[in-house]
Structure formats: C-alpha cells, structure tokens
Amino acid sequence: MFNGVCYGLFIGMIFYNLMLLWVFKESLYFYNGMSCWFALLALSGINGHLGRYVLTNHAGVIPVLLPTVIVLWLAFAGMFGRGFLGLPKIAPKLSMCVLAILPLSGVAVALAALGQLPASLAMIQLLTLIGPVLMVAGAIIALRHGFKSAYWYLFGVASLFSATIFSTLNNNGILNFPIQYDALQVAALFEFSVFVIAMGSRIRGIRQQNGELSQRAVRLAKTARTDPLTGVYNRAGWAHHAAQVLERSDGVALLLIDLDKFKPVNDQYGHAAGDQVLKKVAERLRTEIDTHGIVARLGGDEFVILVEQPGDSQALAAQASKLIELISQPVPYDGHALRISASIGIARAPQDGTDLGMLMQAADRAMYAIKENGRAGHGFASAA
C-alpha cells in the first residue's frame, strides 16, 4: 500500500511536469519529469518491485539497469537544478561542475556494464554525495542574487541529501537501520513535492516580473511621448495620437496656439517663471478639452489641440475664444501675477487638409495672419 501510493505520486508528478513543459516550453520541466521517471525506476528497482513485477523474465539485467537509472536520475536532477537556479548566468563555473557529473555518470554506467559493480556502486555513491553539495551551493548563490524560489529548492535538496547520507552510512555498516530504502523513497518523494512548490513559486515570480516589465514598458512608452515639463503630449506623442484620431473621425479641427507676451515673462522673471506659465497653460487646455480631443506642446511656447466632432464654425470660434480667455488669466508666481495672451490658427478636415501635415500648415498660416493683425485672437485657415 505504501509503495503503491508513492509510485502513484511519482507518476502524477511526471504528468505534472509534462503539462508544464507543454505550456511553457522550458527544458527544465522536461529535466524534472525525467528525473521523476528515473527516480521511480530506481526506487522500484531498489525495493525489488521492478525485477519482481516488471522484468520477471529479465532479472539478469537488473544489476546493470539499476546503476543506469540511478545515474540518469542524478544527471537529470542536476540539469533541472542547473536550469531552475539559472546557474549558467549567475555561477558559470559551478554550472560547468554540474555538467561534469554527466560524463562521470557515464563512467559509472560503463563500469556496471563491464561487470565492475563494486566500482560502479562506489562511484554512484560518490556522485550522489557530490551532486547535492553542488546544488546546495548553487541554491545559496541564487538566494544571494534575490531568487526567492531557491529557498524551496534548497529545502528539497537538503531532505534527499540527508536521506542519501543516511543510506550511504547504512550501506557501509556504520549504521544499521532496516528502513533505509523507505527513508530514501520518502525523502525523494518529499523532494519532488517541494520542487512542485518551488516551480509554482518560480512561475508566480516570472508572472510578477513580466507584469512589472509590462508596466515599465508602458511607462517608458508614455514618457517617450510626453512633454516632461507640462505632462501633455510632445511632438512624438502628438504625431502618434493625432494620426489615430484622423483615421477614426470624419471631421476634426486643429487649433495651433502660440503664446503672446511669453518672452517678456522669461526675460523679466526668469525661466522658472516661464516654466510655471507653460505648466499652467497646459493644465488649463487639458481641463477645457477633457475627452473631446488631445493636447500637445510642440516646443517653446507653442501648443496644438486636435478636436473631434468640433461642430460648425461658430462653435469653433466660441471654443477658441474660451481658450484665449483661459490662457489670458493671470498665473501666480512668487507674489506676481504673470499675464500672457494667445494667437490661435484653426484648420478643419477635410476642408483645409486631409492629413496632419496639411492641417498644420493651414493652421500655421491662419495663426501668423492673426499675429500680423495685432495678436491675441483666432482665425480660420479658410479666411487667411
């Protein structure tokens, strides 16, 4: 009953790793699944069940098969630990030591095949002691690099390592406990169970890391398209989002805004005062436009607004007058009331242009026509 439950749990873990392999396409799940498989074969061979129930008519192969599956268990366990802990990146030399177990395992198998069972078993016992030591060292290094899932891995390896030492001492007559193979089986099952928790922890960590990277990518993309001073779109953000608005809307209006009397503010009160004016203007424009359009700062004291479904010319004129009124309101700064005004050129699609470049040129002409006529006003491209 005990052995049947243990074997069933091993088989369940094999399928669990196969599912993870199918979902994530990572080789370490293959390594752990194969490690479970060869552990199952090794323990069933040690318990005598492999020869008694599976290889009934081929009992002669057991002396060679058993050392083979043990070293394969050890080899795949090492490859799993190497990948799980990321040793090639964080500890290249230690990673190479783990890989060195593979050819040594091959030597142990060859000795068994040549009938040198005592030498083969001695080498296998040595490898089963060296392997866990290397993996414990790797887990400690991974912990120092902030890989928290290595705690679980270290716990699992330590449990099987303790059982291996116990079995080795028993085999060499230092100890004499009749339940050594049960202890090894329970420890192996416990190790793989802990590895299941470790892999779950690793998956959660990867998902969290990917989420943080996605958020960082979004923030970087937003930063790349945002004016750092005012928080509205910069030229890149304007070009990107304005093009999207033009694609989805049948009618839009572009308002090109140039601040009047801004240079005297800079000259008299300094650039910090000028920056405060720009930030306040951007805030007022963004609040006024809200969800009806997009606002950008093209550079210097020049802003631009793209409004969807702007209505007729009368509605647009009222909107422009409201914007000029908002911009003309004083900006408090260091006990002073800073005052500016604005000239606004208005272009509409499709009347004045069908793409962003054409609309910008049309609005620019209208804006400079206003400036030539005394500034602080608005004008349509169609009348410029």
Side-chain angles (χ1 to χ4, degrees):
M1 179 70 178
F2 169 75
N3 288 314
V5 172
C6 289
Y7 295 160
L9 290 173
F10 273 112
I11 293 172
M13 290 181 190
I14 291 169
F15 280 102
Y16 172 74
N17 280 279
L18 289 176
M19 290 176 61
L20 291 178
L21 175 63
W22 182 70
V23 172
F24 294 104
K25 306 294 188 299
E26 284 192 81
S27 59
L28 66 91
Y29 301 119
F30 169 75
Y31 294 142
N32 197 44
M34 294 302 292
S35 179
C36 284
W37 170 246
F38 287 114
L40 174 61
L41 292 178
L43 293 170
S44 63
I46 292 172
N47 292 333
H49 298 141
L50 187 63
R52 189 181 309 163
Y53 301 112
V54 181
L55 300 175
T56 308
N57 300 321
H58 305 281
V61 304
I62 295 296
V64 176
L65 180 62
L66 190 54
T68 301
V69 296
I70 290 175
V71 296
L72 287 173
W73 173 12
L74 179 64
F76 279 107
M79 292 300 293
F80 166 72
R82 177 176 175 268
F84 181 82
L85 299 172
L87 296 185
K89 291 184 178 179
I90 64 173
K93 292 182 180 179
L94 184 60
S95 176
M96 293 301 296
C97 291
V98 174
L99 290 177
I101 292 177
L102 302 181
L104 294 176
S105 300
V107 172
V109 173
L111 289 172
L114 294 172
Q116 302 296 320
L117 291 180
S120 175
L121 291 175
M123 178 168 280
I124 289 173
Q125 287 185 345
L126 180 62
L127 291 175
T128 55
L129 294 176
I130 293 175
V133 170
L134 294 177
M135 302 322 300
V136 166
I140 294 173
I141 294 173
L143 286 172
R144 290 179 176 176
H145 280 76
F147 183 44
K148 296 182 180 179
S149 299
Y151 278 114
W152 290 107
Y153 180 85
L154 184 60
F155 189 37
V157 170
S159 65
L160 185 58
F161 186 39
S162 300
T164 301
I165 293 175
F166 173 77
S167 297
T168 301
L169 295 174
N170 228 41
N171 288 337
N172 289 278
I174 300 174
L175 298 177
N176 186 22
F177 287 91
I179 60 170
Q180 61 166 313
Y181 299 129
D182 287 343
L184 183 62
Q185 184 167 295
V186 170
L189 186 60
F190 181 77
E191 180 192 51
F192 284 116
S193 300
V194 172
F195 284 177
V196 168
I197 300 174
M199 288 188 290
S201 175
R202 177 179 180 270
I203 291 169
R204 287 194 300 272
I206 291 174
R207 291 180 61 184
Q208 180 180 358
Q209 185 179 37
N210 287 340
E212 291 172 354
L213 289 174
S214 297
Q215 292 177 1
R216 183 181 179 187
V218 170
R219 289 195 299 268
L220 288 174
K222 183 177 180 181
T223 301
R225 293 175 176 173
T226 303
D227 177 52
L229 176 64
T230 62
V232 298
Y233 291 124
N234 58 16
R235 282 186 176 272
W238 161 254
H240 176 76
H241 291 281
Q244 292 181 338
V245 172
L246 284 173
E247 286 181 5
R248 68 172 181 254
S249 299
D250 295 331
V252 299
L254 188 151
L255 287 74
L256 187 61
I257 304 169
D258 189 78
L259 303 184
D260 300 325
K261 303 176 183 177
F262 178 73
K263 188 176 182 301
V265 169
N266 264 340
D267 293 342
Q268 184 174 354
Y269 300 102
H271 289 287
D275 289 347
Q276 180 64 20
V277 169
L278 293 174
K279 287 189 285 187
K280 182 59 68 173
V281 168
E283 178 186 328
R284 291 169 180 173
L285 295 178
R286 190 164 45 189
T287 301
E288 175 65 20
I289 297 302
D290 195 19
T291 59
H292 305 299
I294 59 175
V295 181
R297 179 189 175 208
L298 299 181
D301 60 351
E302 193 172 53
F303 292 83
V304 63
I305 295 174
L306 194 65
V307 182
E308 296 187 68
Q309 305 299 329
D312 57 18
S313 298
Q314 186 175 358
L316 265 175
Q319 177 76 79
S321 296
K322 179 67 178 297
L323 293 175
I324 292 173
E325 180 183 349
L326 288 172
I327 293 170
S328 299
Q329 291 178 3
V331 176
Y333 176 77
D334 196 22
H336 301 281
L338 308 179
R339 296 181 181 276
I340 58 170
S341 58
S343 299
I344 302 178
I346 307 170
R348 291 171 292 181
Q351 299 97 310
D352 301 316
T354 55
D355 61 40
L356 197 58
M358 295 172 64
L359 290 173
M360 287 288 289
Q361 290 178 3
D364 191 62
R365 290 195 303 270
M367 182 189 68
Y368 276 100
I370 293 298
K371 284 185 172 294
E372 289 176 357
N373 291 328
R375 304 181 178 183
H378 65 271
F380 288 88
S382 56

